Amino acid sequence: MQFSSKSGWPRPGVLQETVPTPMNKTGSWRFLTPVFQESNAPCRLACPLESGIPHWLNKVRQGDLQGAWQVMQVYNPFPAITGQVCYRFCEEKCHRASWDEAVAVREVEKAVGLWRHKNYRTDKTGQNGRLKELAGKKVAIVGSGPAGLSCAYYLRQSGAAVTIFEKLPLAGGLLATGIPDYRLPRDILAKELKILEAEGVNFRTGREVGQEISLPELQAQFDAVLLAVGAQQSRRLQVKGEKLPGVSGALEFLGDLHTGRRKAVAGQVVVAGGGNAAVDAACMAKLRGAREVSLLYRRSREEMPAHPEEIEAAAAAGVNFVFETVLQEICGEARVEKVCALHTAPSRRGEPLQVLPETAFELQCDLLIVAAGQESNLPALDPALQNAVQQANKKNPARGSLNLENKLFAAGDALTGPASVAAAIFGGRQAALQLRQALGEQPGTAAPEPSGRTSGFNRGLLPPAETATPDSAAAFSEQFKTRAAVYPGIAPPLQGPQEAIGYDNLNAFLYPKQGRQVATQQEAGRCFSCGTCSRCGVCWVFCPEPAIKQEPDGSFQILLDYCKGCGICAVECPAGVLSMEEVPGHGT
Amino acid sequence: MLQTLLGDFPRREYMLNGHNACAGCGPALAVRYLVKVSRQEAVIVIPASCWSIIAGVEPFRSLETVVLHCPFPAAASVGAGIKKGLEAVGDTRTQVIVLAGDGATFDIGMQGLSGVAERNEDLLYVCYDNEAYMNTGTQRSSASPYGSLSTTTPAPRAKSSPKKEIMKIMAAHRIPYAATASVAYPADLMAKMQRAMQVKGFRFLHIFTPCMQGWGSPVEFTVRLARLAVLTRIFPLYEVADGARYRISSFPEEHIPIEEYLQGQKRFAGLDESQKALLQKEVDRNWAALCRQADHSPFISDD
Ligand SMILES: Cc1cc2nc3c(=O)[nH]c(=O)nc-3n(C[C@H](O)[C@H](O)[C@H](O)COP(=O)(O)OP(=O)(O)OC[C@H]3O[C@@H](n4cnc5c(N)ncnc54)[C@H](O)[C@@H]3O)c2cc1C
Ligand SMILES: Cc1ncc(C[n+]2csc(CCOP(=O)(O)OP(=O)(O)O)c2C)c(N)n1
Ligand code: SF4
Ligand code: SF4
Ligand SMILES: [Mg+2]
């Protein structure tokens, strides 16, 4: 003891004459043991990408955007895009909403994406794939929507040569032609495409598969093919006059506006439909100069399949909503002049529609936009594919992507029908995983993680902040390897049973009540890290023994020699990753 | 918020594991925080109490600093004497800290405490309050709250008088610094300890340290109960400078009814609704009085 050095009192040796208590192994008193077990955050379960949200939020909280991107790209390579357009499935389920306000996950996601855009550097050697397992393999992707792009990203990560065939002269799928540019500024898409090009993805725009090159030809030239052709086949309304000039499908209308084929809109516009395409088309028509825009939907506002966010945007832009109304006839001589419509009785989605015959009325109309829903483009490519999808689904139900036949895959809207950008990115990610397996490379060599529980915290997913350097990507991927037999850079599976950790298991009291913050880092710090060890150290702080120790790598370890099993850590852990359990051999 | 909790938290432990406190001991937790601040630059004086045992019966020690055990009523006088002795041999640096239970403070050591406080001896007196004589098996003390059961106030004759207002007594001595703290708010507790260590003269810390054995609650709720005590305002956190200037450390946002704190504690099992209402009234009145005091006497801090 250096106790006496300054004051000369007490004499050296005073402390040495006594026996320090650590020889008293109080762990033998214990009959319940704190057990570490992570579980699913509700946001992660809600996200179509199964994004490890608390993991990357935690990185942002530490101010480590590089680290956040490293975690993010395992799930979502395009956070700048989803940060703009995603419907925030995660935020709807955020546990923090029960405390004050949901975490603004999408805003933080956007910040991570923009950080990536700003900091992306091309690897001058052209060796952008981090891994070499698919070197020499050639993959063709049909369709450059988010599904195709995401698959391309992940395949490049494993070294495959990737060529994307796109029938339109511009890449991006509905990101380029469908989603209104006020929601997704096109420079963000352009930057994303530029990064993919720099990563070595080969874009062949203006090449329609089935026209310029046939599918069998493609299959002969490439080792594998992914069909990510989307669901852009407009359904017909089946009413009289549908073929008149001045009648346009919603996707065609939006595509024309975004590609510059149509410069402006004028006069009286009527939109028929209640989905996202209808609402976006109505909103764009109004913003691009239509005098008046009326949107006719056959049920009530509550029943509209469009996302509330988009409905609000359209209402704010001045679109008139006419509910419980169906088109009866489109009238005009050389082109559309007016539409006849009928009201319907109130009904819920899925119920049969009852038209009220006495209620017919007319609307002036210079442009009619029809948005009666879209269907998969697979049958357009080859009618036999419809059947192939059904067969393959029966054998092995799709989870984001489907192996149709040997080395032929489908993903995205083409497989699921119209969904979301996040779901399409997920499909592309899953397709890359299946493609990697099909192309014969070895799965990760590490043994699958046993499902048994340990008392250590060393299984925390996050590498400690101190070691998160720009080169930590490979090291980081190593961590995932030990968690499950997955490929580096491929998302770790969800934990245990597919249900979310309850709000009851969390200790919200440790967080001051505060609504959304403007600063990204602060906002990320609002995350409860549900079911996910964030290495906050609360367990260590409140242990009266102390029987919890932080390892140099930042993880926490319970000293079973001393833990008396009081359970304070399990009650206080704000993430709910500790529980008290009877462990055979511990106490009596 | 959580990050700063760990980021600023002193990592080094001066309380060793293997000590003999019960599982989930509030007083053990409090002292773990205290010695993180005082480190080895203090002599700790402990009168008869649970901490006599936790610090180690001869030849054990669980604290990495010098500990002096003393008789039950004598802690304040012994501490003052040691401080004088240290000064006599030229050591003005070493802090003397008294670590006493509520029995030793509110009851049996009161006259010594009052004397030392009145003389403004240079001493840091920490009372860890588990609201009864716990080491001898839960006898009521004057720190036990109204309505609580103990072996000396058994059902149906729960304690009928309110908890003694020790902070008012200490404030009446016009000591330079007094503060309340809680094991549920370690950062606040350590900040107050730090401040107390910087002040010269007599300083008093009143720390709320639940004892689950004596209170009849599941051991894992030590911190949760301590937090609820603050949130329900039955044990508010505040500081008093020079016995006159008050500063409230945390304002609970919502008014959580006292019921939430009482339930789950067997010592309050005998309370009927009217008694609970009485206790709630008392809590509200005390809180209002504290707020008035803080408004009328702004705390001028030395930092
Ligand atoms: C108007 C509108 C707004 C939307 N807004 C949102 C939103 O805000 N947020 C959100 O999450 N989702 C939104 N969505 C849904 C989202 O855009 C889609 O779910 C997503 O783009 C599907 O991606 P994908 O890659 O599967 O298909 P797509 O994006 O449809 O891409 C398919 C691509 O394949 C090409 N292709 C088709 N056939 C061939 C062929 N034979 N040869 C070569 N190329 C071919 C097409 O030209 C197209 O570029 C919106 C959809 C619409 C219609
Ligand atoms: C003069 C004297 N009377 C009684 C005792 C027995 N005794 C030892 S510890 C204790 C209880 C102390 O209560 P408190 O000060 O509240 O501390 P706690 O045990 O609750 O931590 C008692 C009564 C004693 N040691 N000396
Ligand atoms: S992709 Fe959408 S649901 Fe998933 S984390 Fe991002 S904003 Fe949330
Ligand atoms: S608090 Fe964090 S981990 Fe929990 S649901 Fe919300 S974003 Fe997800
Ligand atoms: Mg006591």
Side-chain angles (χ1 to χ4, degrees):
Chain A
M1 296 291 126
Q2 331 84 317
F3 183 78
S4 56
S5 59
K6 291 225 173 63
S7 60
W9 188 97
R11 285 189 308 281
V14 164
L15 288 180
Q16 276 91 329
E17 286 159 19
T18 52
V19 182
T21 46
M23 58 83 69
N24 183 20
K25 299 285 193 287
T26 51
S28 63
W29 303 9
R30 188 178 67 246
F31 52 91
L32 289 177
T33 301
V35 166
F36 176 74
Q37 175 78 76
E38 293 196 324
S39 50
N40 300 316
C43 54
R44 183 171 177 200
L45 280 183
C47 171
L49 280 156
E50 299 173 0
S51 185
I53 296 163
H55 292 142
W56 50 261
L57 282 178
N58 190 38
K59 285 287 169 199
V60 177
R61 172 175 67 90
Q62 294 166 356
D64 177 11
L65 281 158
Q66 162 80 35
W69 160 250
Q70 293 299 347
V71 182
M72 175 77 78
Q73 60 90 36
V74 167
Y75 305 93
N76 177 3
F78 311 128
I81 290 178
T82 48
Q84 289 284 351
V85 306
C86 188
Y87 298 126
R88 300 185 289 173
F89 306 95
C90 52
E91 293 178 31
E92 277 169 25
K93 290 280 151 55
C94 176
H95 273 336
R96 178 110 201 187
S98 312
W99 184 237
D100 40 30
E101 213 183 330
V103 176
V105 178
R106 190 181 66 185
E107 286 304 308
V108 182
E109 180 167 272
K110 191 195 297 172
V112 174
L114 295 179
W115 179 92
R116 150 86 165 166
H117 280 187
K118 207 162 139 233
N119 292 278
Y120 176 77
R121 299 281 174 274
T122 317
D123 181 347
K124 294 266 170 9
T125 63
Q127 305 276 312
N128 285 306
R130 276 197 267 112
L131 310 160
K132 297 287 157 280
E133 68 220 36
L134 292 189
K137 302 280 186 201
K138 293 193 303 180
V139 180
I141 295 175
V142 188
S144 65
L149 297 179
S150 131
C151 184
Y153 173 88
Y154 287 109
L155 285 179
R156 276 306 293 151
Q157 295 294 301
S158 49
V162 181
T163 307
I164 296 184
F165 290 85
E166 168 57 55
K167 74 172 174 202
L168 295 181
L170 79 178
L174 287 174
L175 298 176
T177 61
I179 299 179
D181 51 12
Y182 57 80
R183 187 140 11 93
L184 179 62
R186 294 303 191 255
D187 54 336
I188 290 185
L189 173 62
K191 178 75 188 175
E192 214 70 83
L193 294 170
K194 240 173 119 176
I195 290 179
L196 283 171
E197 268 181 349
E199 289 280 307
V201 176
N202 191 1
F203 283 92
R204 306 277 284 279
T205 47
R207 303 269 287 175
E208 179 168 358
V209 175
Q211 294 295 123
E212 283 85 354
I213 180 166
S214 76
L215 185 53
E217 274 178 283
L218 213 57
Q219 284 177 290
Q221 286 174 23
F222 289 84
D223 295 309
V225 177
L226 169 70
L227 302 175
V229 290
Q232 299 198 25
Q233 293 295 99
S234 294
R235 283 203 198 108
R236 309 284 307 272
L237 269 181
Q238 320 286 14
V239 297
K240 229 172 103 195
E242 211 170 347
K243 295 257 165 67
L244 279 174
V247 179
S248 168
L251 288 191
E252 294 76 58
F253 170 75
L254 285 168
D256 288 351
L257 275 182
H258 285 119
T259 53
R261 255 185 307 200
R262 184 196 279 272
K263 294 279 182 283
V265 189
Q268 189 90 15
V269 176
V270 176
V271 182
N276 285 327
V279 176
D280 283 350
C283 195
M284 276 295 269
K286 183 75 192 155
L287 293 176
R288 291 292 176 94
R291 183 158 27 87
E292 207 179 334
V293 179
S294 303
L295 185 145
L296 315 187
Y297 176 56
R298 54 202 161 137
R299 296 194 172 88
S300 66
R301 178 169 184 151
E302 292 67 44
E303 298 299 312
M304 277 179 89
H307 198 271
E309 219 171 90
E310 297 187 7
I311 302 174
E312 269 155 42
V319 170
N320 304 325
F321 288 91
V322 188
F323 294 109
E324 289 166 352
T325 304
V326 286
L327 271 193
Q328 190 189 26
E329 198 185 336
I330 303 160
C331 318
E333 291 292 319
R335 52 174 294 118
V336 57
E337 284 161 18
K338 61 181 185 189
V339 296
C340 299
L342 287 168
H343 284 304
T344 61
S347 66
R348 322 253 356 221
R349 246 192 283 173
E351 285 172 6
L353 211 60
Q354 191 200 337
V355 178
L356 306 174
E358 306 295 292
T359 57
F361 65 100
E362 290 183 353
L363 272 176
Q364 253 326 95
C365 178
D366 301 311
L367 170 64
L368 173 69
I369 300 173
V370 178
Q374 296 101 248
E375 277 162 5
S376 170
N377 281 46
L378 283 178
L381 188 59
D382 179 352
L385 285 171
Q386 190 78 352
N387 205 19
V389 167
Q390 274 172 9
Q391 293 304 320
N393 237 332
K394 239 185 252 156
K395 256 206 314 217
N396 210 347
R399 218 179 90 75
S401 89
L402 195 62
N403 190 347
L404 292 177
E405 58 183 70
N406 196 22
K407 316 266 164 88
L408 182 65
F409 298 80
D413 275 6
L415 184 65
T416 59
S420 64
V421 171
I425 294 174
F426 174 73
R429 193 180 87 200
Q430 290 293 103
L433 184 64
Q434 285 190 335
L435 274 153
R436 282 166 156 183
Q437 273 161 352
L439 292 180
E441 109 305 357
Q442 295 301 306
T445 45
E449 188 186 36
S451 57
R453 300 166 159 207
T454 78
S455 283
F457 288 61
N458 48 350
R459 302 189 310 149
L461 188 57
L462 299 164
E466 302 89 284
T467 63
T469 64
D471 305 316
S472 64
F476 187 75
S477 303
E478 279 303 310
Q479 294 221 354
F480 290 119
K481 248 191 188 162
T482 61
R483 289 179 64 84
V486 293
Y487 308 89
I490 287 286
L494 293 165
Q495 303 263 341
Q498 307 276 292
E499 56 188 60
I501 185 173
Y503 182 54
D504 285 353
N505 301 350
L506 310 176
N507 187 352
F509 275 127
L510 288 169
Y511 291 84
K513 279 199 179 164
Q514 48 177 10
R516 296 186 173 195
Q517 303 293 296
V518 181
T520 310
Q521 198 175 340
Q522 269 186 342
E523 181 57 24
R526 292 179 63 242
C527 171
F528 288 159
S529 197
C530 307
T532 312
C533 177
S534 70
R535 298 183 170 178
C536 67
V538 161
C539 53
W540 171 79
V541 164
F542 288 117
C543 177
E545 298 314 317
I548 298 179
K549 190 172 139 240
Q550 189 170 29
E551 301 291 354
D553 73 350
S555 65
F556 289 89
Q557 199 75 40
I558 294 194
L559 306 176
L560 293 175
D561 273 354
Y562 299 105
C563 167
K564 293 170 186 164
C566 68
I568 294 177
C569 53
V571 169
E572 292 304 314
C573 170
V577 300
L578 287 169
S579 57
M580 300 304 291
E581 287 178 20
E582 279 185 41
V583 173
H586 287 194
T588 45
Chain B
M1 180 251 179
L2 289 172
Q3 195 191 11
T4 44
L5 189 59
L6 192 51
D8 306 344
F9 219 90
R11 306 294 173 104
R12 169 86 154 86
E13 305 288 353
Y14 293 89
M15 186 176 91
L16 302 170
N17 43 33
H19 60 69
N20 266 329
C22 305
C25 176
L29 191 50
V31 173
R32 181 179 162 226
Y33 302 141
L34 289 175
V35 293
K36 274 174 181 283
V37 179
S38 65
R39 305 201 299 258
Q40 288 173 315
E41 291 145 24
V43 174
I44 297 186
V45 177
I46 305 180
S49 61
C50 283
W51 251 100
S52 314
I53 309 303
I54 305 168
V57 271
E58 176 73 16
F60 292 107
R61 70 175 157 85
S62 68
L63 294 179
E64 291 209 90
T65 187
V66 174
V67 171
L68 210 104
H69 295 278
C70 76
F72 202 9
S77 332
V78 168
I82 291 174
K83 184 66 193 176
K84 284 270 186 285
L86 283 171
E87 283 168 356
V89 296
D91 178 350
T92 51
R93 269 179 53 101
T94 303
Q95 288 268 350
V96 178
I97 300 172
V98 171
L99 178 62
D102 51 291
T105 305
F106 287 58
D107 297 343
I108 190 169
M110 182 49 101
Q111 63 136 340
L113 171 61
S114 175
V116 165
E118 187 273 333
R119 295 196 300 278
N120 198 23
E121 301 279 359
D122 190 15
L123 188 65
L124 170 48
Y125 191 107
V126 177
C127 170
Y128 70 90
D129 186 359
N130 49 17
E131 304 197 316
Y133 293 81
M134 291 308 184
N135 194 51
T136 41
T138 319
Q139 292 79 31
R140 64 88 99 181
S141 77
S142 55
S144 302
Y146 167 80
S148 60
L149 301 173
S150 68
T151 54
T152 46
T153 48
R157 297 181 43 202
K159 190 178 180 238
S160 58
S161 54
K163 184 180 174 95
K164 189 189 273 182
E165 293 189 84
I166 191 77
M167 287 298 282
K168 280 197 179 151
I169 297 175
M170 297 321 295
H173 286 78
R174 306 236 154 208
I175 57 173
Y177 185 77
T180 64
S182 163
V183 289
Y185 296 84
D188 175 73
L189 188 156
M190 289 192 292
K192 284 168 175 166
M193 178 70 175
Q194 197 90 52
R195 207 161 298 146
M197 300 242 317
Q198 282 157 4
V199 174
K200 234 182 137 46
F202 192 75
R203 295 140 283 158
F204 185 82
L205 287 186
H206 181 198
I207 307 184
F208 193 77
T209 55
C211 165
M212 299 290 100
Q213 269 71 19
W215 295 9
S217 293
V219 283
E220 64 267 33
F221 290 137
T222 304
V223 174
R224 180 167 284 192
L225 269 188
R227 183 177 297 119
L228 273 172
V230 173
L231 294 178
T232 57
R233 303 165 182 177
I234 194 168
F235 192 89
L237 300 181
Y238 60 99
E239 297 169 288
V240 190
D242 297 326
R245 300 194 308 275
Y246 282 69
R247 177 164 68 185
I248 297 174
S249 320
S250 92
F251 289 87
E253 286 170 40
E254 320 159 39
H255 199 314
I256 301 179
I258 192 72
E259 172 69 26
E260 288 200 22
Y261 169 70
L262 302 178
Q263 71 192 12
Q265 295 188 55
K266 292 208 184 97
R267 62 174 177 157
F268 290 117
L271 282 183
D272 62 28
E273 290 310 315
S274 69
Q275 287 169 312
K276 283 178 188 168
L278 199 68
L279 191 55
Q280 180 72 63
K281 239 174 147 170
E282 161 102 356
V283 166
D284 293 345
R285 198 176 47 96
N286 287 348
W287 172 256
L290 179 64
C291 288
R292 270 198 307 278
Q293 221 143 8
D295 284 346
H296 293 155
S297 56
F299 188 98
I300 301 153
S301 89
D302 41 6
D303 51 37

